[in-house]
């Protein structure tokens, strides 16, 4: 078996940070097996923002879980930074859709972020941790709520907290599973702009799962459209829209509408 | 509040009247004023406090040992399917044994004294703690466990930073249930076999034909049980409402 150690660092700009090679995933059912993902291949470069869209049940969450290392593929392999993905890693932080279940309700906002630092193998003294937490909470707009408990926060604030905790890991890649799906439209737009800004600032690679075509185009450098039963990639589209993007003008851009048109045909017509 | 007291007070007065008048002839008949006097006497000569201390110490130590074993096993079975499969048959074999059936065995092993009561109480306290803990651990949200995996936590860390804090409110419920069991079993052991504590005081009062003292101990035991539950409920509210508001 191959070891979970980088045999060769992917410093070369040409080689992808993540490569998904002919990956399939199936689960045993009463009559044989159910194929959830079939022959997925995709390369993601360092610093890229890749949106993945698809209807419900197309396996996009499963794909994210495979990248996260939370599940193992039945066929094919996933390589991250030169090594095969075999288990979850602090370098690939997952932002779960259900933020209310992913936060520790008995810890304050500060303490939830601190969890990521306390479990870091590199030791830091208390003052440094405090500084990092302060900066992160500032970054996600939670500085005022530092001493509150998760259940005293709105949904949008809880999701910001989860993002802050993931950022505290200083991951190379952020995996987001429909992170704004449960939020109201206003909050969603604000958070879209914030995550776009964060990604640009940190140079982090982001995989962003959504079922919202416009959100996918608005955020992505690239959009992958998935089809269901079995889940497979039906189209990959480079998004050539200038940054920073704007909720009003970008969404009215002719090019944006063309992308929207093109991607629309790949999605199921009935939900 | 006041109106709720009307009926009990009336019943007490009726009891007093019937008892004093001699309408009912019985060796086990007493009335409130006599019970109060006997209770005061037992309190003042120190015998009631000594018995109370013996019972409570046995019940608490038994509760700590049994509850601890139950919580540890429950957490283990809840976190590991292999452990659950391994342990389930043994648990289901031993659990149905009525704890009081172990009194003769405990007497043989420990003789009279604290050890015997503690052993039986501990046995009885394992099961509610085990079952509640195991169920609670199984219900820790999948997301939280995956957060633990994402943070690359080992199982000890996962247990202490994620799993146990998440189930603490349930552990408290387990503790409350087990505390009730502990008191019942401790008194039972004392009534049936162990010559110490409140249970023994109760049976001695009955056998020496002191119904007033017997009733005084009975009320005292009831009061202790009620206080125990009330105290734990209050503690639970104080500790867990803060972050548990939805």
């Amino acid at each position: 078996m191959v070891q979970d150690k980088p045999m060769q660092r992917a410093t070369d700009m040409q080689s992808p940070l993540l490569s998904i090679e002919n990956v399939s995933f199936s689960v045993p059912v009463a009559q044989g097996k159910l194929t959830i993902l079939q022959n997925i291949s995709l390369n993601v470069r360092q610093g890229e923002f890749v949106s993945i869209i698809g209807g419900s049940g197309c396996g996009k969450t499963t794909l994210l879980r495979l990248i996260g290392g939370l599940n193992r593929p039945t066929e094919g392999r996933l390589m991250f930074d030169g090594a095969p993905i075999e288990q979850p890693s602090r370098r690939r932080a997952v932002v779960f859709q259900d933020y209310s279940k992913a936060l520790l309700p008995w810890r304050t906002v500060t303490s939830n972020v601190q969890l990521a630092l306390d479990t870091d193998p590199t030791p830091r003294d208390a003052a440094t941790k405090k500084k990092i937490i302060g900066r992160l909470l500032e970054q996600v707009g939670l500085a005022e709520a530092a001493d509150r408990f998760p259940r005293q926060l709105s949904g949008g604030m809880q999701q910001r907290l989860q993002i802050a905790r993931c950022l505290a890991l200083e991951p190379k890649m952020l995996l987001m599973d429909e992170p704004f799906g449960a939020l109201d439209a206003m909050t969603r737009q604000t958070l879209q702009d914030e995550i776009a800004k964060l990604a640009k600032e940190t140079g982090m690679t982001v995989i962003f799962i959504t079922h919202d075509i416009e959100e996918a185009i608005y955020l992505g450098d690239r959009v992958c459209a998935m089809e269901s039963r079995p889940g497979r990639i039906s189209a990959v589209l480079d998004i050539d829209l200038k940054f920073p993007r704007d909720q009003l003008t970008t969404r009215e851009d002719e090019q944006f509408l063309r992308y929207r048109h093109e991607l629309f045909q790949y999605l199921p017509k009935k939900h | 509040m006041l109106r709720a007291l009307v009926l009990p007070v009336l019943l007490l007065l009726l009891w007093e009247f019937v008892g004093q008048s001699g309408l009912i002839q019985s060796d086990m008949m007493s009335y409130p004023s006599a019970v109060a006097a006997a209770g005061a006497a037992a309190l003042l000569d120190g015998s009631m406090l000594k018995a109370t201390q013996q019972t409570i110490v046995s019940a608490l130590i038994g509760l700590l040992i049994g509850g601890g074993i139950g919580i540890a096993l429950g957490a283990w079975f809840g976190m590991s399917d292999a452990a659950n499969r391994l342990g389930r048959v043994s648990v289901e074999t031993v659990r149905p044994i009525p704890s009081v059936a172990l009194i003769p065995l405990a007497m043989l092993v420990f003789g009279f004294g604290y050890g015997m009561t503690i052993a039986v109480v501990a046995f009885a306290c394992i099961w509610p703690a085990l079952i509640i803990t195991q169920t609670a651990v199984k219900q820790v949200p999948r997301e939280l466990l995956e957060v633990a995996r994402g943070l690359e936590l080992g199982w000890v860390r996962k247990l202490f930073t994620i799993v146990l804090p998440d189930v603490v409110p349930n552990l408290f419920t387990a503790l409350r249930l087990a505390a009730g069991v502990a008191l019942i079993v401790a008194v039972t052991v004392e009534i049936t076999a162990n010559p110490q504590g409140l249970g023994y005081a109760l049976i001695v009062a009955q056998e020496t034909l002191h119904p007033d003292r017997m009733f005084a101990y009975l009320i005292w035991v009831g009061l202790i049980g009620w206080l125990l539950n009330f105290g734990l409920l209050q503690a639970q509210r104080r500790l867990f409402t803060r972050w548990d508001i939805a």
Side-chain angles (χ1 to χ4, degrees), chain A residues 86-176:
Chain A
E86 297 186 330
Q87 56 206 0
S89 158
R90 297 173 66 92
R91 298 190 303 153
R92 296 184 306 272
V94 180
V95 176
F96 292 93
Q97 178 182 18
D98 194 346
Y99 40 78
S100 67
K101 287 188 184 148
L103 297 168
L104 283 56
W106 58 90
R107 282 175 173 244
T108 60
V109 167
T110 300
S111 180
N112 259 284
V113 179
Q114 178 142 9
L115 175 73
L117 299 176
D118 286 346
T119 51
D120 197 326
T122 34
R124 295 186 182 89
D125 58 59
T128 316
K129 283 182 189 171
K130 208 177 151 196
K131 230 170 79 186
I132 297 174
I133 295 169
R135 178 175 52 77
L136 286 170
L137 293 185
E138 197 70 53
Q139 229 171 347
V140 298
L142 281 180
E144 308 286 302
D147 296 322
R148 283 156 74 181
F149 288 92
R151 288 185 191 164
Q152 299 169 326
L153 306 177
S154 67
M157 289 165 95
Q158 289 186 42
Q159 193 56 295
R160 285 190 171 100
L161 174 54
Q162 206 197 164
I163 292 168
R165 190 178 64 198
C166 285
L167 292 178
L169 300 169
E170 294 179 347
K172 285 198 95 134
M173 185 177 262
L174 195 60
L175 305 173
M176 308 185 85

Side-chain angles (χ1 to χ4, degrees), chain B residues 153-175:
Chain B
L153 303 187
W155 75 267
V156 178
R157 252 220 82 199
K158 181 169 96 178
L159 178 67
F160 285 101
T161 49
I162 306 276
V163 176
L164 282 182
D166 189 67
V167 301
V168 157
N170 303 71
L171 292 193
F172 221 84
T173 308
L175 183 71

Side-chain angles (χ1 to χ4, degrees), chain A residues 25-41:
Chain A
F25 184 79
S26 54
V27 287
V29 287
Q31 311 84 15
K33 61 174 188 175
L34 176 67
T35 305
I36 297 184
L37 292 174
Q38 194 171 52
N39 284 332
I40 306 270
S41 288

Side-chain angles (χ1 to χ4, degrees), chain B residues 6-216:
Chain B
V6 170
L7 189 64
V9 167
L10 274 178
L11 283 173
L12 277 177
L13 286 175
L14 183 69
W15 183 16
E16 179 80 31
F17 169 75
V18 172
Q20 293 246 27
S21 68
L23 279 171
I24 298 173
Q25 288 297 325
S26 163
D27 288 341
M28 276 297 131
M29 188 62 197
S30 188
Y31 40 86
S33 57
V35 171
L43 257 179
L44 288 175
D45 72 8
S47 59
M48 190 179 252
L49 289 180
K50 182 156 180 263
T52 306
Q53 177 234 311
Q54 286 170 332
T55 301
I56 291 204
V57 166
S58 320
L60 276 185
I61 296 179
L63 171 65
L64 284 181
I65 296 173
I69 294 173
I71 287 171
L73 283 178
W76 190 38
F77 290 176
M79 276 173 87
S80 152
D81 284 335
N84 185 29
R85 277 195 300 275
L86 196 74
R88 190 169 24 186
V89 176
S90 320
V91 165
E92 289 310 316
T93 315
V94 182
R95 191 171 68 89
I97 301 174
S99 50
V100 290
L102 289 177
I103 293 174
L105 177 65
M107 201 186 319
L108 277 178
V109 175
F110 295 98
F112 293 138
Y114 285 106
M116 169 182 168
T117 311
I118 290 170
V120 181
V121 168
F123 178 84
C125 289
I126 291 175
W127 315 115
L130 191 157
I131 290 166
I132 293 175
T133 308
Q134 185 177 356
T135 312
V137 167
K138 279 240 162 268
Q139 285 166 354
V140 173
R142 199 195 67 198
E143 282 85 351
L144 273 188
L145 298 177
E146 290 181 344
V147 167
R149 290 178 67 194
L151 294 170
E152 300 178 24
L153 303 187
W155 75 267
V156 178
R157 252 220 82 199
K158 181 169 96 178
L159 178 67
F160 285 101
T161 49
I162 306 276
V163 176
L164 282 182
D166 189 67
V167 301
V168 157
N170 303 71
L171 292 193
F172 221 84
T173 308
L175 183 71
R176 210 152 51 78
L177 275 178
V181 171
L183 190 64
I184 292 168
V185 173
V187 171
T188 310
V189 174
E190 291 162 354
I191 285 179
T192 52
N194 206 1
Q196 65 170 26
L198 292 168
Y200 183 64
L202 263 167
I203 201 74
V204 167
Q206 182 244 315
E207 284 175 352
T208 57
L209 303 181
H210 285 99
D212 45 358
R213 186 142 40 91
M214 188 194 73
F215 277 114

